[in-house]
Amino acid sequence: MLLIIDKDNSVLDTLNYFVSDDQEPSYLRMGARDYVDFAFGTEKHFFIQRPFYRGIHNRPPTIKHNPVIIHDVVKNVNRAHPFEFPKEHWEKGLESKMNFNHDKNHVYFSMAASHDVYRINRDAENVDTFRVKSDFAPDKMPSQLGFSGPEDVMLYDASNVRYTAIIPDRYRNLTYRLATLPPSDPETSKNKFFQLHMYPDRFSLIICDSEMNVVGEHVFPERTYFPHGIFVSHEGVHIPAAHPEYLVSNGMEDSVRYDIFVPTTK
């Protein structure tokens, strides 16, 4: 069940995860601090239902699942948007974790190991697909088939580009895609994959214009900033200087500092 509350923490409404067709409710949290999984609207809300499976060995080879659910506010019913997970994405064993966000006109979503970003028009509900690829990523993401446990997943995450957030910027009419990047030294991925899974050494913001064309990519200094807790204001993009190694080396374990990044485009 999902609770909608106002700024005074009063419950305005409750939503369940059942949809009006045959898809079973299978909601799972996104599992990271910068994921958004609900888009509020006057007439309809959008939220995510991820497919559920326990562990790598129990993951089915194929799946038919509609991850985006639409709640009709007036009728108080849920229905699945017809979008399905890309067949190739699932067959290659790539991560099903979704990145989700919204602005007043659109809902954005993508998968952690996919170069594509999907944008739903809130009113018409049509889906447009945009290739928003990091310059540091290969054309095709490596397969995750054959993984035997969580250590394989963490090493994969530490060694490859991983898309972890979509961030609309209404002040500059831009959209950002956050990508965690492998360390510049490949040996670091092998030696520190457990830490890198939670605290990546470096990351970038891919900058898109209003039509989702990539107009730049900014890479932040290694082991200084943390890719969670980012927010946008009229001043720019607020980036926390909170990588654990940076905090320890500068004696800042009990403080928080944000630097403001003002994006430039090509």
Side-chain angles (χ1 to χ4, degrees):
M1 181 173 290
L2 181 70
L3 300 179
I4 303 176
I5 63 176
D6 63 15
K7 63 181 181 180
D8 297 319
N9 293 325
S10 299
V11 176
L12 300 178
D13 199 358
T14 59
L15 305 179
N16 63 51
Y17 284 92
F18 290 96
V19 295
S20 55
D21 52 26
D22 295 329
Q23 181 167 298
E24 295 183 0
S26 52
Y27 174 74
L28 291 178
R29 290 191 62 197
M30 295 297 100
R33 280 158 278 191
D34 58 352
Y35 285 120
V36 176
D37 49 21
F38 183 75
F40 180 83
T42 304
E43 298 180 356
K44 48 183 119 167
H45 309 316
F46 296 77
F47 61 94
I48 288 177
Q49 276 193 346
R50 289 181 59 206
F52 178 74
Y53 58 92
R54 291 187 180 277
I56 296 171
H57 296 297
N58 293 321
R59 179 172 178 155
T62 60
I63 192 168
K64 184 176 181 180
H65 187 88
N66 303 102
V68 179
I69 308 301
I70 301 173
H71 174 76
D72 187 308
V73 174
V74 176
K75 297 180 180 179
N76 195 30
V77 295
N78 300 332
R79 55 185 170 84
H81 190 280
F83 175 86
E84 296 180 5
F85 275 106
K87 181 180 179 182
E88 180 188 28
H89 188 88
W90 192 263
E91 289 180 346
K92 290 178 68 175
L94 298 176
E95 192 173 5
S96 64
K97 188 176 293 179
M98 294 190 69
N99 311 315
F100 191 77
N101 215 326
H102 60 100
D103 57 28
K104 65 178 182 178
N105 296 317
H106 300 101
V107 173
Y108 306 84
F109 61 100
S110 70
M111 274 64 72
S114 173
H115 299 314
D116 291 333
V117 170
Y118 305 96
R119 187 176 73 179
I120 300 178
N121 182 286
R122 281 182 176 271
D123 296 326
E125 299 181 11
N126 58 293
V127 180
D128 293 315
T129 304
F130 305 93
R131 187 173 175 85
V132 183
K133 176 183 172 297
S134 169
D135 289 338
F136 299 88
D139 287 337
K140 292 187 177 181
M141 300 297 280
S143 173
Q144 291 180 289
L145 294 176
F147 284 8
S148 59
E151 288 191 1
D152 289 340
V153 175
M154 287 188 284
L155 180 58
Y156 181 97
D157 287 348
S159 306
N160 292 280
V161 171
R162 185 162 44 115
Y163 300 107
T164 63
I166 301 170
I167 308 171
D169 183 348
R170 64 184 178 89
Y171 301 97
R172 279 155 285 273
N173 203 22
L174 299 171
T175 302
Y176 312 118
R177 191 179 200 193
L178 183 67
T180 60
L181 309 177
S184 52
D185 180 2
E187 288 300 314
T188 302
S189 297
K190 299 177 183 178
N191 299 328
K192 290 177 54 182
F193 67 86
F194 185 80
Q195 297 99 311
L196 292 170
H197 178 73
M198 289 297 296
Y199 307 106
D201 273 4
R202 61 178 184 156
F203 62 94
S204 71
L205 276 184
I206 306 169
I207 305 167
C208 299
D209 64 16
S210 60
E211 300 303 318
M212 295 300 294
N213 299 305
V214 176
V215 294
E217 181 174 8
H218 181 82
V219 181
F220 293 89
E222 292 192 65
R223 295 182 296 279
T224 302
Y225 296 99
F226 192 48
H228 304 299
I230 295 172
F231 67 93
V232 176
S233 77
H234 68 279
E235 297 177 279
V237 185
H238 296 249
I239 309 290
H243 189 280
E245 292 184 30
Y246 178 80
L247 294 178
V248 171
S249 63
N250 289 275
M252 297 170 55
E253 295 95 327
D254 59 351
S255 64
V256 175
R257 190 191 86 216
Y258 278 83
D259 290 342
I260 298 176
F261 168 66
V262 180
T264 57
T265 58
K266 298 176 182 177

